[in-house]
Amino acid sequence: MRTQVAIIGAGPSGLLLGHLLFKAGIDNIIVERHSADYVLSRIRAGVLEKVACDLLDECGVGARMHAEGLVHDGIELLFKGSRHRIDMHGLTGGKSVTVYGQTEVTHDLMDARKAQDLPTIYEVADTVSLHEFDGQKPKVRYQKDGQTHEIECDFIAGCDGYHGISRASVPAAALRTYEKVYPFGWLGILADVPPVSPELIYANTGRGFALCSMRSKTRSRYYVQVGSDEKVENWSDDAFWGELRLRLDPQTRDRLVTGPSIEKSIAPLRSFVAEPMRFGRLFLAGDAAHIVPPTGARGLNSAASDIYYLYHALVDHYKKRDDAGLDGYSQKALARVWKGQRFSWWMTTLLHRFPESSAFDRRLQETDLAYLFSSQKALASLAENYVGLPF
Ligand code: FAS
Ligand code: PHB
């Protein structure tokens, strides 16, 4: 097989890039480890910033997001027993975020790809290998139905997430990695119950962090911070709801509607960046290159930011014979990635209970929260990062 761009991974990064390239008339093939249903079964991000929404619109896949997504102009922080709203719309000159689950984004992109009958090879398991990406004619090989297949291409987009083969195919000496592992995770539950509040509530409590989020007006997503050694099988639905209640203020607690979980899982929290994000004709994007703690809702949005740069660079290469975008991809993408890393680390440090924190650390965290709500400029800084910094 031959294509212009071979994409590894059919998560939001790979599917978004694939459809943008298709709309620009650039051939691409996606190879995916799992089945489409398995990819859709993973419950992940919930908040889209404008760049992600705009890219969905640019590839003609934004209709359902606009019809069903919930536009949010603010969030609330709960600490010392009371909630404080942050008017992001007012603080950023009219910007907002859209609450529309990653599952729905992935669904819409998969449907659009299928409607155009674009080549997407699912269920290749761990058989993908990348070859000669440091030369002019890179190749991707994979196995399917007992046969080995080879894709000759001009470029490889490594959109295969943190555990993928793309970054693992780069010689270790060529990579610099930066990592911070947090001593806790997020136990998340998805349930068909109405959200407890019209906007998201991020809670800093003596028992640990909690987040009240949603997927629609009838489906809610909640998280509580748990120890990094916690096991999801130790948590019945009742145990989850009981713990969440203990982390809410009385008024919110009284409004909480509970119900059976559709999904329940624990996500470990880490910050990770691999540099650079380009190796010859292999380009890393999304979780393949970086991971953030979800506290700042940056994960999926950082992936969309990479795809924005990579897509425009590939279009310039093919349509204008101009490689400045490809040559500048890693530096540009990383500049925005690190701002997302900083914000995610700051929000995580602000809102979580660190097991080893000293009395001094805790007073510092309280002061950080008090200062935040004493200064419009500090609130504006949080707001501009949450809605998405300008490119
Ligand atoms: P993904 O990991 O989504 O997709 C990579 C794809 O590549 C997968 O489908 C995988 O099967 C495939 N793949 C892997 N190895 C392969 C191989 N060898 N061959 C072929 N295919 C291969 N972000 C937020 O903003 N908010 C959140 O609440 C949030 N929660 C998260 C919870 C969890 C448990 C995780 C892991 C992440 C969470 N994230 C969250 C971040 C998440 O949304 C990512 O940013 C987003 O999935 C990034 O998309 P991709 O880069 O496409 O990577
Ligand atoms: C979610 O709804 O899954 C979500 C929302 C905001 C976050 C993290 C997760 O910061």
Side-chain angles (χ1 to χ4, degrees):
M1 277 177 278
R2 162 117 192 102
T3 191
Q4 290 172 299
V5 182
I7 299 173
I8 318 296
S13 295
L15 288 165
L16 184 57
L17 179 63
H19 217 68
L20 286 164
L21 293 176
F22 157 70
K23 298 292 273 188
I26 298 169
D27 294 337
N28 62 88
I29 295 176
I30 295 181
V31 287
E32 162 59 46
R33 174 193 265 165
H34 292 298
S35 69
D37 287 345
Y38 181 91
V39 174
L40 289 168
S41 70
R42 295 182 307 220
I43 305 302
R44 289 188 172 169
V47 171
L48 301 180
E49 68 176 63
K50 197 166 180 310
V51 68
C53 298
D54 289 351
L55 286 172
L56 285 173
D57 283 335
E58 185 161 348
C59 60
V61 183
R64 197 161 72 98
M65 177 239 333
H66 289 297
E68 297 176 17
L70 303 172
V71 176
H72 281 202
D73 291 339
I75 58 174
E76 287 188 314
L77 298 196
L78 162 58
F79 60 98
K80 288 196 165 178
S82 56
R83 280 172 290 113
H84 305 264
R85 185 173 187 267
I86 299 178
D87 171 18
M88 294 190 296
H89 191 266
L91 288 160
T92 60
K95 291 184 181 174
S96 42
V97 292
T98 300
V99 172
Y100 189 66
Q102 175 172 323
T103 305
E104 307 318 316
V105 172
T106 308
H107 217 301
D108 294 342
L109 287 164
M110 281 182 176
D111 288 351
R113 191 164 179 90
K114 196 172 177 183
Q116 300 295 339
D117 198 21
L118 298 176
T120 316
I121 298 112
Y122 287 101
E123 299 183 271
V124 301
D126 282 326
T127 67
V128 170
S129 56
L130 279 52
H131 304 272
E132 301 170 55
F133 50 81
D134 52 352
Q136 296 304 305
K137 295 181 182 301
K139 296 174 182 64
V140 171
R141 290 193 193 112
Y142 65 91
Q143 283 169 26
K144 178 88 176 164
D145 305 330
Q147 288 201 322
T148 298
H149 304 266
E150 180 173 277
I151 303 171
E152 292 181 358
C153 53
D154 299 332
F155 299 102
I156 302 172
C159 299
D160 48 347
Y162 179 74
H163 300 289
I165 186 66
S166 297
R167 192 180 74 248
S169 300
V170 174
L175 264 176
R176 291 184 306 281
T177 60
Y178 304 84
E179 186 165 28
K180 181 179 184 60
V181 178
Y182 297 88
F184 38 72
W186 281 15
L187 167 62
I189 200 168
L190 190 69
D192 277 335
V193 293
V196 74
S197 167
E199 294 178 328
L200 274 55
I201 302 173
Y202 290 79
N204 169 319
T205 82
R207 297 180 68 88
F209 171 81
L211 171 58
C212 301
S213 183
M214 63 198 78
R215 289 293 178 269
S216 69
K217 292 195 185 323
T218 58
R219 177 167 286 191
S220 298
R221 178 72 167 163
Y222 292 103
Y223 298 93
V224 294
Q225 170 188 344
V226 292
S228 41
D229 55 355
E230 200 45 88
K231 301 274 180 283
V232 67
E233 46 270 20
N234 296 340
W235 287 83
S236 67
D237 287 4
D238 287 347
F240 179 90
W241 294 122
E243 184 58 39
L244 177 64
R245 277 201 177 88
L246 293 174
R247 300 191 190 188
L248 298 176
D249 60 287
Q251 191 189 20
T252 307
R253 188 181 307 141
D254 291 346
R255 288 204 308 264
L256 181 65
V257 177
T258 64
S261 60
I262 304 169
E263 191 267 357
K264 198 163 47 184
S265 57
I266 293 180
L269 265 61
R270 78 172 72 233
S271 301
F272 173 84
V273 181
E275 293 187 359
M277 289 169 59
R278 174 199 187 172
F279 306 90
R281 288 183 170 249
L282 167 63
F283 292 83
L284 302 181
D287 278 20
H290 43 76
I291 295 279
V292 282
T295 327
R298 294 298 86 207
L300 178 55
N301 293 302
S302 296
S305 173
D306 294 347
I307 297 306
Y308 171 89
Y309 289 123
L310 185 54
Y311 156 60
H312 285 287
L314 287 166
V315 168
D316 287 352
H317 168 83
Y318 283 110
K319 306 297 182 189
K320 302 178 186 170
R321 294 274 165 244
D322 173 358
D323 282 358
L326 291 175
D327 295 339
Y329 166 73
S330 183
Q331 185 186 353
K332 266 191 178 178
L334 282 167
R336 208 160 189 278
V337 161
W338 275 108
K339 290 174 189 168
Q341 290 285 336
R342 181 210 70 84
F343 180 62
S344 305
W345 161 82
W346 178 73
M347 284 283 276
T348 301
T349 307
L350 182 73
L351 296 170
H352 287 74
R353 189 159 185 77
F354 285 71
E356 304 305 317
S357 66
S358 65
F360 177 82
D361 298 330
R362 285 193 291 278
R363 290 292 282 119
L364 215 51
Q365 191 183 65
E366 288 167 15
T367 307
D368 217 347
L369 282 162
Y371 166 65
L372 180 63
F373 285 92
S374 73
S375 159
Q376 285 299 299
K377 289 186 172 61
L379 285 173
S381 172
L382 186 154
E384 71 166 356
N385 279 277
Y386 194 92
V387 300
L389 294 172
F391 273 84

